[in-house]
Amino acid sequence: MTGWLLEQRARLRRLDRRRPWLLDSAVAVAILLFTLPSLFGPHSEPQPSPVVLAVAVAALIVPLWWRRRRPVEAFVVAAVVLFTEWALDIWIATGIVLLVLLYEVAARASMRALGGAVAATAVLLFVSVYLLQLATEHRLAILLLLAGTFAGAVAAGLAVRTRRAYLAALEDRAARLEVERDQRARLAVADERARVAREMHDIVGHHVSVIVGLSDGAAVLATGRGEQTAEPLRLIGETGRQALSELRTVVGVLREEEDGPELGPQPGVADLDRLLPSVRAAGVPVTLRTSGELRTLGRGLQLAVYRIVQESLTNVLKHAGRGATAEVTVAAGDDGVRITVRDNGIGRSGPENPRLVGMRERAALYGGTVAAGPTTDGWLVDVLLKEPA
């Protein structure tokens, strides 16, 4: 039963938020129905004309429609109208409107406004009882009874106000706890990623160091014997050392020590010449052609160019097969930097369409585009990067 009542209460609140005029109209209709018996019932004294009574009732009911948006203004209007009607000797039950409006002031307005409304109500009641002759006998008892009734309206409004503030505080606390929980979760994830990155650095770094040591030793032996494998072995060692350097640079920033890693400059367009020998040593002849003012490009854009060429050539090594050749062109123009990597794809094996995720992400950072696909004699990667404004 309690759950059903709470559900209906929540449903009514949602309806009130969507159509607040429904509740205001319901309150106005209820007060009007409460007033009708006093208007049309028997009276011991002559009553004003029906038109005057209708105007008097309407003047008190109309403020109910903005009582929640403008509670102080609605109370002032109703108090002035009610005092005017009493001064004209028009006594109708619609005066209960003042109770509703005083409740709204206590529930929604400032405490200063509430103090003024309470003082105005006390003065209005005193004047109506003692000066306007609302009662001829037991005036003090009637005044205290009316004062108690209006005090009850104020107490109800303050109770609703306190409950609303309490619920708001609970919601704010819940929101803060949720934010703190999310922050703790993100910190835990970041710590775990840093731990995994450090372990990867140690494991991969160890094995690459072994490869570098073996290649250097083999290169020395091959040189001493005059074998042609000395140069490829030397390039393997240099490539391994470069990989170690970049691994320490990327993963080292995740370490928790205060003294961070010494960060070297990121590779740029000028470093492409050092990238190609390792590709040639792996068995893929590659040529590089550049044009335009490439060295004046920003460091970030140069890094993107280098990484895109590096990824493209890595795909050539993986998918083009033996006997393939590659041609790299980097050109700077008015529309941006265009990078094309073309291979003849002789004996190509593996997937026909690499996803090129990293390449597309780097191009997106510079508002660029990536087009890749087979040609009549191989594979073509065409990337356009734009210089940031």
Side-chain angles (χ1 to χ4, degrees), residues 101-332:
L101 296 177
L102 189 60
Y103 162 84
E104 294 292 344
V105 172
R108 302 178 186 277
S110 65
M111 298 304 295
R112 182 176 180 180
L114 176 60
V118 170
T121 302
V123 172
L124 183 61
L125 293 179
F126 181 84
V127 170
S128 64
V129 171
Y130 284 96
L131 300 182
L132 300 179
Q133 303 296 324
L134 175 62
T136 57
E137 297 179 357
H138 309 292
R139 292 179 178 178
L140 181 59
I142 293 176
L143 180 62
L144 293 177
L145 179 62
L146 292 175
T149 304
F150 281 91
V154 173
L158 290 176
V160 171
R161 181 197 198 100
T162 302
R163 182 177 179 276
R164 190 181 295 124
Y166 175 71
L167 292 178
L170 287 181
E171 292 177 356
D172 182 67
R173 183 172 181 271
R176 290 200 307 271
L177 290 176
E178 186 175 356
V179 171
E180 292 175 0
R181 182 199 63 191
D182 294 341
Q183 289 177 344
R184 286 195 297 270
R186 285 194 292 268
L187 289 175
V189 171
D191 290 341
E192 182 64 17
R193 287 178 176 175
R195 185 187 66 81
V196 172
R198 289 192 296 271
E199 291 183 0
M200 180 187 69
H201 174 272
D202 296 339
I203 295 172
V204 177
H206 168 73
H207 291 295
V208 174
S209 298
V210 172
I211 293 173
V212 171
L214 292 175
S215 63
D216 288 344
V220 172
L221 291 176
T223 302
R225 296 174 181 176
E227 298 178 355
Q228 296 181 353
T229 58
E231 181 64 15
L233 289 172
R234 186 184 64 80
L235 289 174
I236 291 174
E238 291 183 0
T239 303
R241 278 186 286 272
Q242 182 181 1
L244 278 176
S245 176
E246 294 188 2
L247 181 64
R248 293 191 184 99
T249 299
V250 174
V251 182
V253 297
L254 299 175
R255 294 191 177 276
E256 297 178 354
E257 290 84 353
E258 292 184 359
D259 296 331
E262 296 182 2
L263 302 179
Q266 295 283 12
V269 175
D271 298 293
L272 290 175
D273 291 331
R274 293 189 295 174
L275 174 65
L276 302 184
S278 60
V279 179
R280 297 188 184 106
V284 177
V286 57
T287 59
L288 171 66
R289 291 187 297 180
T290 60
S291 62
E293 298 296 330
L294 295 175
R295 297 183 183 274
T296 61
L297 300 176
R299 295 299 304 172
L301 185 56
Q302 289 197 38
L303 175 62
V305 171
Y306 180 89
R307 294 304 185 194
I308 289 173
V309 173
Q310 185 182 45
E311 182 177 349
S312 300
L313 293 178
T314 300
N315 289 330
V316 171
L317 292 173
K318 290 167 59 178
H319 305 304
R322 292 185 177 275
T325 61
E327 179 181 314
V328 179
T329 302
V330 181

Side-chain angles (χ1 to χ4, degrees), residues 17-104:
R17 284 195 293 267
R18 292 195 304 267
R19 296 180 177 86
W21 57 270
L22 285 177
L23 179 59
D24 298 336
S25 300
V27 173
V29 170
I31 292 178
L32 180 61
L33 293 177
F34 175 78
T35 305
L36 290 179
S38 64
L39 294 178
F40 299 103
H43 299 90
S44 58
E45 298 179 0
Q47 292 292 311
S49 64
V51 175
V52 174
L53 290 177
V55 173
V57 172
L60 287 174
I61 288 182
V62 168
L64 290 173
W65 270 280
W66 71 81
R67 62 188 174 86
R68 291 188 288 179
R69 297 187 301 274
R70 297 285 189 270
V72 177
E73 291 83 347
F75 174 83
V76 171
V77 171
V80 171
V81 170
L82 191 61
F83 179 78
T84 303
E85 292 179 359
W86 287 351
L88 297 175
D89 202 22
I90 301 175
W91 304 90
I92 53 178
T94 318
I96 196 176
V97 166
L98 201 64
L99 275 175
V100 178
L101 296 177
L102 189 60
Y103 162 84
E104 294 292 344

